[in-house]
Amino acid sequence: FDRRADMADERQELRDVWGVSHETPVVVTVGRLVAEKGFRELFEAHRRLRRTGSNHELVVVGPTEAGKADGLTEDEVAQATADGVRLVGFSDRPERYYAAADVFVLASHREGFPRAAMEASAMGLPVIATDIRGCRQVVDDGVTGLLVPVKDSTVLETAIRSVLDD
């Protein structure tokens, strides 16, 4: 988990595959596509950012969990894709996606100790996470990232916009 020179080729390779320029900000999240990971709020924040002219990309690394009680529905996944969300599925090499990203978001409703947020932080990414146990131990609010309230897509949108504009 080192964003420096060793990962520069990974960054460029993924961005080339996606057709995303070096200047386009990439927001990444890693996790199972279930409601408790805050995907509904993240997708809503993304949708509103795009409507107001943001040219960012949102990349989701993680498996769909359609069979889970709180798994996102096929319609929700289809709508996210229609809104420009890149769903790349499971990866055993998430560091590639952190290298390609500029911001990491974890909108989870509950966490123990969020490994993905730790990994993103180790890669030097600013982390936007919910203000819950676990995330508070990873994010130094206002220094290494931002903490936002749980289930608040409006504040999440504002936080993403703030980091993208900084």
Side-chain angles (χ1 to χ4, degrees):
F1 294 97
D2 185 344
R3 259 182 82 143
R4 293 178 295 232
D6 290 347
M7 295 302 290
D9 291 341
E10 299 271 3
R11 177 180 176 86
Q12 193 57 53
E13 178 185 319
L14 281 175
R15 284 173 170 258
D16 287 348
V17 166
W18 299 333
V20 173
S21 77
H22 181 71
E23 294 80 31
T24 301
V26 173
V27 177
V28 72
T29 189
V30 175
R32 299 172 298 112
L33 271 82
V34 294
E36 77 172 0
K37 294 293 184 184
F39 281 106
R40 290 180 178 132
E41 294 84 6
L42 179 56
F43 293 165
E44 179 60 30
H46 165 76
R47 187 176 305 115
R48 287 198 303 255
L49 284 163
R50 281 285 182 91
R51 274 193 224 129
T52 60
S54 177
N55 72 331
H56 74 281
E57 295 288 328
L58 175 59
V59 176
V60 176
V61 181
T64 57
E65 297 279 331
K68 297 282 185 178
D70 73 335
L72 299 186
T73 67
E74 288 182 20
D75 288 343
E76 289 172 314
V77 171
Q79 182 62 55
T81 301
D83 290 336
V85 176
R86 293 180 187 276
L87 302 170
V88 300
F90 172 79
S91 173
D92 60 0
R93 294 200 52 228
E95 66 274 14
R96 297 183 70 225
Y97 297 95
Y98 302 135
D102 300 292
V103 181
F104 177 81
V105 176
L106 180 63
S108 190
H109 302 171
R110 65 181 185 87
E111 283 292 327
F113 199 59
R115 182 175 54 198
M118 288 188 305
E119 292 170 348
S121 187
M123 291 288 287
L125 291 175
V127 174
I128 300 169
T130 45
D131 190 5
I132 58 175
R133 179 180 59 93
C135 293
R136 285 190 292 265
Q137 283 64 49
V138 175
V139 177
D140 186 1
D141 192 30
V143 178
T144 61
L146 300 173
L147 294 172
V148 299
V150 174
K151 297 183 182 180
D152 192 330
S153 62
T154 301
V155 175
L156 181 60
E157 172 194 359
T158 300
I160 295 169
R161 183 183 316 281
S162 172
V163 173
L164 292 177
D165 290 345
D166 185 347

